[in-house]
Each structure stands twice: as C-alpha cells, then as structure tokens.
Amino acid sequence: MKAAIFYFTMSGNTELAAKEVAEATGAPLVRLHAEPPYTVDDIDWIHPDARCTREHKDHSLLPRVKPFGVDISSLDTVFIGFPIWWHEEPAIIRSFLTTYHDQLKGKTLYPFCSSYSSPVSEADASLTKEFPDLNWKVGLRLPGSQAEIRKWIEQ
Ligand SMILES: Cc1cc2nc3c(=O)[nH]c(=O)nc-3n(C[C@H](O)[C@H](O)[C@H](O)COP(=O)(O)O)c2cc1C
C-alpha cells in the first residue's frame, strides 16, 4: 500500500486519531491548513455569521488549502481525517477534495473523524453525495483500538 494520511485538526483530537492510523499503517502524516487559517472566532458555531457556520450553510465557500508538498498521484490509498463540524466534514476537506480531485480519482479513500458524539456515517453520507465519483471506503470514528483500525483497512 502506498498511502498517506491527510488530516485537519483545530484542537488536536483528529491529530491523535491520525497518529493512531499512522501507527497501524506506517503511512506518513500530512496536516492540512486553511489559508487564511481558522481562528477561535471562526469556529464559534454559536454565531450564525461565524466562518464555520457560513461555510456549512453555503458549500460553494471553499477555503484555500495551504500547499503541502506531497504528490498525491504517487499514492494508491489516501486516509482523510477531520473533526465533524455541523454533522458533516469541515469545508477545508471539501476544498482538499475539490482542489486535488483529478489526482484523487481512482485512489482508495478512507475517511476518519473525531467528534463529540456524531457518528462518521454523517460524513460518509455527505462525502459520497458531494463526491460520488471518488472511491470511498466506509469511514471510522476514532479513537479506537489498533485491531479496529486494521479491520477497517481490510474492509
Ligand atoms: C464548528 C464546530 C462544529 C461541531 N459540530 C459537531 C457535530 O455536529 N457533532 C459532534 O459530535 N461534534 C461536533 N463538534 C465537535 C468536534 O467534532 C470535536 O470536538 C472534534 O473532536 C474536534 O476535533 P479537533 O480537536 O481535531 O479539532 C463541532 C466542533 C466545532 C468547532
């Protein structure tokens, strides 16, 4: 498997999840950043005009993905990790999938998430609806055991 683990995190939970996937796979970690980066105010979901809320309501709002210097076309498997925001993936993940769509096509994509309580199936549903021509595996919500992660990869 020629894989890499792309992930977005604000408060570190998804980074811990990404490290669990790295432990199970040996794949390198690639952190995704938005340009401009999200601030604390940007993710204050209580406010209807906060950046995260506007991007959730209007999926045409796509933040720029900071270049990360990995050649996706050399991979066959791509892990994509993120926190659940508003019962779906954050807009930066949609940006990543849109910006690198041509390179991602034909690769095997494994979504994983962290969340307070929302299941990853919410993101599975939105990702497969929005990017139906990409090759999605069923997602996994972490933290989890190494055995659970290995079973997920073998699906
Ligand atoms: C804007 C925003 C929206 C969120 N929406 C949800 C949600 O719909 N369901 C849920 O279970 N958790 C939700 N959360 C909680 C995060 O998914 C959770 O804290 C996650 O582990 C944070 O990951 P991070 O530390 O990698 O940033 C939300 C958090 C933020 C900031």
Side-chain angles (χ1 to χ4, degrees), residues 9-14 52 83-87 114-118:
T9 187
M10 278 300 287
S11 54
N13 295 338
T14 310
C52 68
I84 297 281
W85 282 6
W86 290 109
H87 301 277
S114 69
S115 70
Y116 281 140
S117 60
S118 291

Side-chain angles (χ1 to χ4, degrees), residues 33 35 64-69 100:
H33 296 272
E35 280 184 339
R64 220 176 98 82
V65 181
K66 189 176 172 190
F68 42 72
Y100 298 99

Side-chain angles (χ1 to χ4, degrees), residues 7-17 40 42-46 50 52-53 81-88 113-119 122 141-143:
Y7 70 97
F8 170 73
T9 187
M10 278 300 287
S11 54
N13 295 338
T14 310
E15 184 159 65
L16 291 176
V40 172
D42 286 341
I43 63 163
D44 186 356
W45 49 272
I46 300 287
C52 68
T53 317
F82 48 84
I84 297 281
W85 282 6
W86 290 109
H87 301 277
E88 62 184 18
C113 76
S114 69
S115 70
Y116 281 140
S117 60
S118 291
E122 295 181 339
R141 179 174 179 267
L142 293 168

